């Protein structure tokens, strides 16, 4: 797919909603292979109120969740239009590494590629970048649930 997906197209593919929808746009998607998504990190994020008030840093677990959501959009494209909106359950993370903090004003680029795809389980490699520098990476696993 050459054209990007906007927030409305993302919401058709994922069951997440504010404040837990953590991707803003799909920049590139190659069904069955890879995806590149964008998250604009702003001071308005609810988690910055407590993480940390004097030095706001995006929690690493939410960077992983944003990667998983990008992978979820990719999985929805692989599984087809009749499976869009299906709940995808996060099963696990392996080889997780955080390289530097993500702060308000950053544009988080989320890249995921398929490692294995089965009827009920997906495994993907993901990485998050800011200004071309890697801030986090992991292998992610998810399982597919019932339609919502």
């Amino acid at each position: 797919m050459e054209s990007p997906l906007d927030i409305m197209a993302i919401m058709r593919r994922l069951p997440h909603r504010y404040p837990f929808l953590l991707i803003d746009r799909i920049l590139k998607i190659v069904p069955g292979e890879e995806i590149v998504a964008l998250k604009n990190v702003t001071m308005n994020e609810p988690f910055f109120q407590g993480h940390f008030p004097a030095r706001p840093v995006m929690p690493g677990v939410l960077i992983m969740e944003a990667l998983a959501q990008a992978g979820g959009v990719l999985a929805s494209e692989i599984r087809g239009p009749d499976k869009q909106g299906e709940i995808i359950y996060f099963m696990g993370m392996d080889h997780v590494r955080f390289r530097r903090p993500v702060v308000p004003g950053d544009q988080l680029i989320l890249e995921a590629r398929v490692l294995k795809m089965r009827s009920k389980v997906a495994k993907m490699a993901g990485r998050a970048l800011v200004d071309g520098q890697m801030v986090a990476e992991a292998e992610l696993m998810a399982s597919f649930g019932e339609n919502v």
Side-chain angles (χ1 to χ4, degrees):
M1 171 182 299
E2 293 300 318
S3 61
L5 298 177
D6 65 11
I7 192 66
M8 299 309 291
I10 292 167
M11 289 176 27
R12 284 192 296 275
R13 288 161 175 80
L14 293 178
H16 304 77
R17 296 296 179 261
Y18 178 85
F20 220 71
L21 181 57
L22 298 175
I23 54 177
D24 296 318
R25 177 173 288 283
I26 303 302
L27 303 174
K28 174 185 173 184
I29 187 167
V30 180
E33 293 181 29
E34 66 181 0
I35 191 166
V36 179
L38 168 73
K39 161 85 178 130
N40 288 307
V41 181
T42 72
M43 191 59 195
N44 295 328
E45 309 285 352
F47 50 81
F48 284 136
Q49 292 177 29
H51 198 269
F52 304 100
R55 172 79 166 105
V57 175
M58 184 175 184
V61 69
L62 294 181
I63 297 169
M64 290 298 112
E65 175 64 26
L67 270 173
Q69 288 180 20
V73 172
L74 179 56
S76 79
E77 292 298 308
I78 295 168
R79 292 174 58 79
D82 60 320
K83 301 286 186 176
Q84 288 184 358
E86 181 179 65
I87 291 181
I88 302 171
Y89 296 102
F90 207 165
M91 290 176 55
M93 301 178 284
D94 292 318
H95 312 292
V96 178
R97 295 287 180 265
F98 298 102
R99 307 289 181 199
R100 77 166 191 82
V102 175
V103 299
D106 284 346
Q107 275 199 331
L108 195 57
I109 301 297
L110 306 153
E111 301 176 346
R113 63 181 170 80
V114 174
L115 297 176
K116 287 185 183 177
M117 186 76 173
R118 301 233 162 89
S119 63
K120 293 282 186 182
V121 177
K123 184 173 185 178
M124 297 187 189
R127 62 186 203 149
L129 302 107
V130 172
D131 294 329
Q133 295 183 344
M134 189 168 6
V135 297
E137 62 184 325
E139 288 183 2
L140 310 169
M141 289 181 47
S143 67
F144 306 104
E146 300 294 318
N147 282 342
V148 292

